[in-house]
Amino acid sequence: MENKKAEWKRSEPELKLINMESVKVEQIEWLLYPFIPFGKVTIIQGDPGEGKTTMVLQIIAKLTRGEPILLNKKSQKEAQQDSEENLKQEVLSQDNPIQPVNVIYQTAEDGLGDTIKPRLLAAGADCSRVLVIDDREQPLTMLDVRLEEAIMQTKARMVVLDPIQGFLGTDVDMHRANEIRPLMKRMAVLAEKYHCAIILIGHMNKNSNGKSSYRGFRSIDFQAAARSVLIVGRLKDEPETRVMCHVKSSLAPEGKSVAFRLGKETGFQWIGEYDISADDLLSGDARGQKSRIAKEFLLDILADGGMAQKKIEEEASKQGIKKKTLRNAKQELEIDSVKRGNQWFWILSE
């Protein structure tokens, strides 16, 4: 009996207290502000075929070349016009490394030679900096020691598991919190220990509710462990336009939704900020309706000739059309801006 008590005492963890006075304040470093932080876990989710993987491969391509991920596409003339029109176009900023970095990309669905590499090449990636753990003999899981060994060996600044469901292990039930928590804890520890951004890509469930909070993974512990959660989806009335929406941001204010175009002819192109929420995106019609109304408004109000921008904005506001939606519609309709005296006029292109 005494031996059992002694053994029990030895198994008890030693009490250690951390005094917050001694804790140093640390600044968050960002791969892409405010969407993807270094040293943390980010989840990117959406329905199959919505462009999640393509978007991430585009980000990987930029990182391997040490280039900015999101660029302000405006010409110098357009920027000057916006300045004189007092439009505050926000530049999508980031703190990604100046030098090219290594990335670990693991896929459980797509072929490396026939799918992933062609996409990387199309995105202009330096493929010598994209590493894959060979798991053909033994499938990789989130608890696999090879994952940490690969991060150490490659010094990767970004690690992607695509999709997360393919790296849980055959014995893990996504419905059970006690089975998911150790996996997500392991990802968080690795991200912090090696100061890399870990991105988990996942398919959403088929809940018809449409609410983003109900269409994530089956266990809430996935999102609870992630510091940033993004949703990618397409616009119902504009199938080539996809949008990335922020649904959780623990380290910074939620970022404004960002759109990109994914077309057979044009390929991948960042568009910029879009006025749409995650719930509206998932419902499938809100953004298309707003865009359609704005376009119809502009075509109607400019049908008889140019009009001062200020007057257009005033009339649009009366109809509940936001400035950002109005500008997106102007861009899509390729409406010209012409300065007359001290005012800017919008004119339909001939």
Side-chain angles (χ1 to χ4, degrees):
M1 188 69 173
E2 292 296 329
N3 289 337
K4 288 185 178 181
K5 286 183 179 181
E7 183 179 346
W8 176 75
K9 288 182 179 180
R10 285 196 300 271
S11 65
E12 282 293 291
E14 178 184 356
L15 174 63
K16 295 181 179 180
L17 296 175
I18 299 175
N19 191 314
M20 287 302 297
E21 183 67 24
S22 65
V23 176
K24 295 182 180 180
V25 176
E26 299 178 1
Q27 295 295 324
I28 299 297
E29 184 184 359
W30 294 90
L31 183 151
L32 179 62
Y33 180 86
F35 303 107
I36 306 176
F38 281 117
K40 307 295 179 182
V41 176
T42 296
I43 288 176
I44 300 177
Q45 53 191 5
D47 291 328
E50 298 294 77
K52 304 182 298 298
T53 296
T54 300
M55 184 188 77
V56 170
L57 292 176
Q58 289 285 329
I59 293 174
I60 289 174
K62 295 292 187 180
L63 291 176
T64 61
R65 299 198 307 267
E67 298 177 357
I69 296 170
L70 297 174
L71 295 174
N72 185 6
K73 297 294 186 181
K74 293 186 176 184
S75 66
Q76 184 176 357
K77 180 180 178 181
E78 290 173 326
Q80 183 179 359
Q81 289 176 355
D82 276 0
S83 176
E84 296 194 40
E85 292 176 72
N86 295 319
L87 295 177
K88 297 181 179 179
Q89 174 70 24
E90 296 187 14
V91 177
L92 297 165
S93 61
Q94 72 221 338
D95 295 322
N96 68 292
I98 297 175
Q99 297 298 322
V101 300
N102 292 339
V103 175
I104 295 175
Y105 178 78
Q106 294 297 133
T107 176
E109 292 184 340
D110 297 313
L112 298 180
D114 59 16
T115 304
I116 300 304
K117 186 164 184 178
R119 289 186 182 182
L120 286 170
L121 292 174
D126 178 354
C127 291
S128 69
R129 290 190 171 275
V130 183
L131 296 311
V132 180
I133 300 171
D134 189 344
D135 63 351
R136 287 173 292 184
E137 295 183 1
Q138 182 178 342
L140 187 75
T141 68
M142 294 168 69
L143 295 179
D144 200 310
V145 295
R146 291 175 293 174
L147 191 55
E148 181 170 9
E149 291 174 355
I151 297 174
M152 291 174 60
Q153 182 175 324
T154 64
K155 295 181 173 56
R157 297 305 312 277
M158 178 168 148
V159 178
V160 181
L161 300 184
D162 180 11
I164 184 176
Q165 288 91 335
F167 299 94
L168 299 178
T170 56
D171 298 329
V172 174
D173 185 346
M174 289 185 67
H175 295 87
R176 295 183 179 273
N178 64 316
E179 295 184 17
I180 296 303
R181 286 173 186 168
L183 302 181
M184 295 302 294
K185 176 65 175 177
R186 177 60 174 166
M187 293 297 97
V189 168
L190 288 180
E192 183 173 1
K193 183 177 180 179
Y194 297 100
H195 200 59
C196 62
I198 292 184
I199 295 181
L200 306 177
I201 299 178
H203 302 316
M204 303 186 74
N205 66 54
K206 299 300 181 181
N207 191 311
S208 59
N209 183 290
K211 286 282 187 179
S212 59
S213 56
Y214 297 111
R215 296 219 38 215
F217 302 129
R218 295 180 180 91
S219 173
I220 194 64
D221 292 270
F222 282 109
Q223 292 197 16
R227 298 299 84 195
S228 179
V229 179
L230 307 168
I231 285 179
V232 175
R234 75 176 73 199
L235 303 182
K236 182 179 179 180
D237 297 329
E238 302 172 41
E240 288 191 353
T241 301
R242 320 296 173 89
V243 184
M244 175 182 71
C245 297
H246 224 164
V247 296
K248 175 184 176 180
S249 181
S250 300
L251 305 174
E254 286 188 5
K256 295 182 179 179
S257 299
V258 179
F260 58 92
R261 186 170 289 109
L262 193 58
K264 293 182 178 180
E265 301 296 331
T266 59
F268 184 98
Q269 294 177 326
W270 288 109
I271 298 175
E273 292 179 1
Y274 250 54
D275 180 24
I276 186 172
S277 68
D279 290 334
D280 285 344
L281 178 65
L282 294 177
S283 69
D285 58 6
R287 174 58 181 86
Q289 184 178 358
K290 291 179 182 178
S291 176
R292 184 168 56 253
I293 291 174
K295 289 178 182 178
E296 291 175 353
F297 164 78
L298 285 174
L299 291 173
D300 181 60
I301 203 169
L302 296 175
D304 296 328
M307 181 177 291
Q309 177 205 324
K310 290 184 178 180
K311 179 64 175 178
I312 294 174
E313 291 179 344
E314 289 174 0
E315 294 300 320
S317 179
K318 292 177 183 179
Q319 297 192 29
I321 301 173
K322 295 183 179 180
K323 285 187 177 181
K324 184 62 182 178
T325 304
L326 187 68
R327 271 181 272 157
N328 284 336
K330 172 182 178 288
Q331 181 180 359
E332 292 174 20
L333 291 173
E334 298 182 346
I335 293 174
D336 295 327
S337 293
V338 179
K339 192 172 184 180
R340 296 175 179 172
N342 295 323
Q343 295 190 72
W344 283 98
F345 282 70
W346 289 5
I347 303 174
L348 291 175
S349 300
E350 295 181 0

